[in-house]
């Protein structure tokens, strides 16, 4: 502000001087040469004025230069500040990333510590029920730690901590309909899909989880939004050598006639492994992996059809006891928990 005023003052002075110079020049008009005696004095004045003008011009020039330099300095400073704030932002992002990573590690370590403490006891963490008894009571995705003692790998699971007291490890879900269940033996063995969406947990994992006495709960929803269930007090699979044969007993439920009983004591089949009890290849006909008999009373790993699309085919997600063979369900969830679980 001060500098600007100074510059303005200088400018005013310059203009005044120029005007003065002009008025002096007017006195040199030959038609008005009434006072020839002042000619020498006039020229002296002019020279002095010219010098002053030159001085003022150089002063102004210097001032402009200074201002320009300052402006350049300011721009540099602003750029520097901007660069620093960008750096800080990057650091914050990095810190956030590290924080969530550490958080994640802490959670896993907590699980592992809990497991190490009870390593030899019956309370080792290997399913959602053991998580529940360790006060993890919110439904969602969990990571079960690897267990060297049992020789089991780390496993992502979805825990239902609400239905009938919680503690359920979800082994299958159909609700989105984008994941194909028409898969081969290897994929059914390892598991596939998204743990928060549609998935099969994997026959090896289900086999492992059902080595203790286990309950199976099947939740089904139709396109009217009605929900029914079928529950088996006993549920277990054989190992791979025995084709993950299904063993169920102790049915209860409200989904009509028991539609899994027909599949009891049958081997698992996939599109590349026909273990069914039929001349046909049921897995290929029903487009899923399942404990096919000859072929189905239920087909929970069948093709996901939107309401009304499934009329004549035999490959939908069906439960004959409730909606018959030509109605494909909107949502299915199969979940397990130990028989001795107490909420
Ligand atoms: Ca066959």
């Amino acid at each position: 502000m001060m500098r600007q005023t100074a510059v303005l003052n200088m400018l005013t002075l310059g203009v005044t001087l120029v005007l003065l110079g002009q008025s002096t020049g007017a006195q040199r008009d030959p038609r008005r040469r009434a006072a020839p005696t002042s000619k020498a004095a006039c020229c002296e004045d002019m020279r002095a004025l010219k010098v002053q003008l030159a001085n003022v011009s150089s002063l102004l020039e210097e001032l402009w230069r200074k201002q320009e330099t300052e402006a350049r300095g300011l721009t540099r400073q602003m750029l520097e500040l901007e660069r620093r704030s960008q750096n800080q932002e990057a650091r914050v992002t990095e810190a956030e990333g590290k924080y969530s990573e550490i958080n994640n590690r802490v959670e896993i370590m907590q699980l592992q510590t809990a497991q190490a403490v009870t390593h030899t006891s019956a309370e080792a963490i290997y399913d959602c029920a053991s998580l529940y008894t360790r006060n993890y009571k919110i439904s969602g995705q969990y990571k079960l730690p690897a267990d060297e003692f049992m020789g089991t790998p780390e496993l992502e699971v979805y825990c239902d901590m609400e239905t009938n007291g919680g503690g359920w490890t979800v082994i299958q879900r159909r609700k989105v309909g984008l994941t194909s269940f028409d898969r081969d033996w290897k994929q059914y063995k390892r598991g596939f899909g998204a743990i928060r969406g549609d998935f099969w947990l994997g026959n090896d994992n289900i086999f492992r989880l059902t080595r203790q006495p286990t309950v199976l709960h099947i939740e089904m929803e139709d396109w009217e939004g009605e929900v029914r269930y079928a529950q088996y007090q006993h549920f277990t699979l054989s190992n791979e050598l025995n084709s993950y044969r299904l063993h169920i007993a102790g049915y209860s439920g409200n989904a009509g006639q028991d539609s899994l009983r027909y599949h009891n004591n049958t081997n698992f089949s996939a599109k590349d492994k026909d273990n069914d009890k039929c001349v046909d290849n049921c897995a290929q006909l029903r487009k899923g992996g399942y404990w096919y008999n000859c072929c189905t009373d239920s087909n929970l790993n069948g093709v996901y059809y939107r309401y009304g699309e499934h009329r004549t085919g035999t490959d939908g997600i069906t439960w004959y006891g409730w909606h018959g063979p030509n109605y494909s369900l909107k949502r299915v969830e199969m979940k397990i928990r130990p028989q001795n679980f107490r909420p």
Side-chain angles (χ1 to χ4, degrees):
M1 213 37 206
M2 285 293 284
R3 247 169 247 280
Q4 275 181 337
T5 321
V7 171
L8 273 174
N9 284 342
M10 288 295 185
L11 273 171
T12 320
L13 179 60
V15 171
T16 315
L17 286 170
V18 169
L19 285 173
L20 263 172
Q22 276 177 350
S23 65
T24 319
Q27 284 173 3
R28 280 170 63 198
D29 189 334
R31 282 169 291 179
R32 288 190 174 212
R33 214 176 284 161
T37 46
S38 65
K39 192 187 176 185
C42 128
C43 292
E44 203 54 43
D45 284 350
M46 270 298 289
R47 216 171 297 134
L49 276 171
K50 274 187 185 166
V51 169
Q52 271 179 304
L53 197 56
N55 283 345
V56 167
S57 303
S58 79
L59 266 173
L60 279 172
E61 216 170 285
E62 196 181 324
L63 270 172
W64 279 121
R65 250 201 309 276
K66 269 191 189 164
Q67 282 222 320
E68 218 176 329
T69 314
E70 269 175 37
R72 240 181 266 139
L74 273 174
T75 312
R76 236 196 322 271
Q77 277 177 16
M78 273 169 69
L79 283 174
E80 174 66 13
L81 277 173
E82 205 177 294
R83 195 182 59 78
R84 272 190 217 164
S85 95
Q86 272 173 357
N87 273 354
Q88 288 221 314
E89 216 173 277
R91 260 182 239 158
V92 167
T93 313
E94 198 189 321
E96 269 175 8
K98 275 190 187 148
Y99 174 79
S100 56
E101 196 187 309
I102 288 168
N103 227 14
N104 203 22
R105 266 192 225 156
V106 165
E107 195 141 304
I108 292 170
M109 270 162 62
Q110 276 175 345
L111 286 178
Q112 281 172 339
T113 310
Q115 192 196 27
V117 167
T118 58
H119 203 74
T120 49
S121 84
E123 289 177 29
I125 288 171
Y126 50 87
D127 63 7
C128 293
S130 38
L131 280 173
Y132 187 95
T133 55
R134 302 220 156 265
N135 269 323
Y136 290 89
K137 297 188 174 174
I138 295 166
S139 292
Q141 192 175 342
Y142 288 87
K143 195 176 273 179
L144 301 178
D147 191 328
E148 282 172 38
F149 184 71
M150 314 241 298
T152 54
E154 189 177 77
L155 180 63
E156 291 268 354
V157 290
Y158 191 94
C159 298
D160 174 350
M161 301 304 205
E162 285 145 60
T163 304
N164 294 342
W168 299 99
T169 306
V170 181
I171 61 169
Q172 184 255 29
R173 189 190 291 116
R174 314 296 303 274
K175 72 167 182 183
V176 183
L178 299 177
T179 304
S180 167
F181 274 58
D182 193 10
R183 309 254 183 166
D184 62 23
W185 183 264
K186 245 186 195 165
Q187 286 173 301
Y188 269 100
K189 171 187 161 82
R190 288 180 195 152
F192 57 83
I195 210 77
R196 289 178 172 279
D198 295 10
F199 70 92
W200 181 255
L201 192 61
N203 289 335
D204 271 351
N205 296 318
I206 300 170
F207 162 68
R208 176 162 61 85
L209 289 165
T210 58
R211 276 189 290 186
Q212 59 182 328
T214 301
V215 180
L216 168 68
H217 184 90
I218 304 174
E219 196 175 292
M220 295 169 268
E221 184 180 342
D222 68 13
W223 291 91
E224 276 74 36
E226 203 171 321
V227 179
R228 302 278 178 94
Y229 77 95
Q231 188 166 307
Y232 299 86
Q233 195 54 29
H234 304 273
F235 168 64
T236 184
L237 295 192
S238 296
N239 60 15
E240 189 179 10
L241 276 176
N242 292 297
S243 302
Y244 305 114
R245 182 184 284 255
L246 173 70
H247 308 276
I248 45 160
Y251 168 81
S252 63
N254 60 4
Q257 206 189 325
D258 176 359
S259 300
L260 196 57
R261 201 165 75 126
Y262 178 62
H263 301 264
N264 194 17
N265 286 313
T266 58
N267 294 338
F268 198 88
S269 294
K271 64 177 176 185
D272 60 337
K273 198 159 259 185
D274 181 355
N275 289 326
D276 59 42
K277 298 177 177 170
C278 225
V279 181
D280 292 327
N281 185 327
C282 293
Q284 281 180 11
L285 283 173
R286 301 293 193 255
K287 298 194 181 74
Y290 205 56
W291 304 276
Y292 290 113
N293 190 326
C294 187
C295 285
T296 49
D297 230 10
S298 62
N299 191 34
L300 300 180
N301 288 338
V303 178
Y304 194 98
Y305 288 103
R306 308 277 151 195
Y307 184 43
E309 283 177 5
H310 182 231
R311 285 172 205 276
T312 53
T314 56
D315 52 8
I317 303 169
T318 51
W319 185 268
Y320 288 17
W322 185 18
H323 277 295
N326 295 315
Y327 185 103
S328 191
L329 296 164
K330 183 188 176 190
R331 185 174 65 87
V332 177
E333 251 178 35
M334 298 170 77
K335 40 198 143 192
I336 56 174
R337 77 178 176 198
Q339 281 175 13
N340 62 8
F341 176 80
R342 297 288 170 268

